[in-house]
Amino acid sequence: MSDFHYKNGELYTENVPVKTLAEQYGTPLYVYSAAHLRTQAGQLKTTLSQHLPADANAPLICFACKANSNIAVLDLLKQEGLGTDIVSLGEYTRARQAGISPDKIVFSGVGKTDTEIETVLKNGIHQINVESEPELERIARIAEKHKITAPVAFRFNPDVDAKTHAKITTGKHENKFGLTRDALIALYQKADAHAFIAPKGITSHIGSQLTAVTPFKDAFTRMRDLVEMLRAMDMPVTRIDIGGGLGITYTDETPPDLDDYARMVAEIIAPLGTQIILEPGRFIAGNCGILVSQVVHVKQGEKKHYLILDAGMNDLARPSIYDAYHPVMPVLENKAAEHIAYDIVGPVCETGDTFGKNIPLPVMEEDDFVAMTSSGAYGFVMASNYNTRPLPAEILVDGDTHKLIRRRQTVDDILALEIDI
Ligand SMILES: Cc1ncc(COP(=O)(O)O)c(C=O)c1O
């Protein structure tokens, strides 16, 4: 997190002091680093190009915007040449509003509705990733009705254990995602025979926050074998979408080495001569953001010291959903030797509203600011209005400057949608 660092005892995002932002915009507050987003996008592009054959087309990197869908973030990544992987009409609308061209948008997800399919077909989409037979039938019916050919890829479930958290494992046969090899081959043939379906290739995404390389290798190998089988049946395969999943460091995890990953793509996937599509989310955005919060109270419990923050599980859900820990950094560095082990909790009425237990920190006081690191992916996007708590504001820092990229929601915003009978 070099884009977040202490200078003269204060936490900075790039060249902007975090305390200044917290005081100006209030807390809880998401703060993102533009430099970090650019670095991650650049690193992925460069590493892939170093390993792929010189004459190969550049892969299409579609940022999985479920990780962070703020329009300003999508716009910034567009300027780095990235497209978007979307899973809803809402995300499609965001991507288009950010100016992302339809030929750089892929549509994933197991439950696309008629309205969603109709809208993307009419307005343009690079491919719809099909996850089941009823979904193909639905797409075929809509495509035929509007006389628009639907470009599709089929999501392969390779039955590979991603060795990550059970709730973000997606490539085992017991998971709801994708198709087995035989089911996929049968659907591919059906699609190829349909006048308004254009099968383009296959896609697979086996899970998120992968730290081991082997599951990628196993999945890629099974994808390659499947493409060879399809081609042996004269099926046209011009694209392979290898999904996302690259892990990041939150505390002490060792993410896959990017060179190893790119080498595998070059050795296993590239020889098939297709367009290569990637859908990274967390790798691009995870370490671009912090959630800044203020200490409401320091409570001395019977057995514990509690640091009660103004951010709760509704603002950052990952600790309560995945038992994740986002390291907590005081915004003003306190070099005092005395540390206290705190349970760091939010104000929401749930015991699960806990960000960390027995976390040693310098002695903290009411009104101090803290930052929860690595919160750029699956942070704001998972925030809710639980306990009628308004959604936080979001800030994008770029060098010496910063911009408010989403204003704080108000209670009036929330209540405006309700109808008093
Ligand atoms: C289909 C698909 N693609 C890409 C991603 C992004 O994954 P990650 O953020 O781990 O790169 C996800 C996340 O769950 C996904 O479901």
Side-chain angles (χ1 to χ4, degrees), residues 64 66-67 85 108 155 205 207-209 243-246 279-283 378:
K66 62 171 74 70
D85 167 44
S108 301
R155 180 161 176 181
H205 170 79
S208 196
Q209 183 55 12
L246 281 167
E279 301 172 355
R282 194 184 311 264
F283 173 82
Y378 308 105

Side-chain angles (χ1 to χ4, degrees), residues 241-282:
D241 174 347
I242 58 175
L246 281 167
I248 60 165
T249 303
Y250 285 91
T251 51
D252 55 1
E253 304 87 342
T254 311
D257 180 75
L258 208 51
D259 275 303
D260 289 345
Y261 177 82
R263 203 172 294 120
M264 281 181 331
V265 177
E267 285 172 6
I268 306 171
I269 303 291
L272 294 162
T274 64
Q275 179 186 44
I276 299 172
I277 302 171
L278 293 87
E279 301 172 355
R282 194 184 311 264

Side-chain angles (χ1 to χ4, degrees), residues 104 146 182 241 268 285 290 313 368:
K104 287 189 167 183
H146 296 289
D182 293 349
D241 174 347
I268 306 171
I290 55 174
M313 62 192 282
D368 282 350

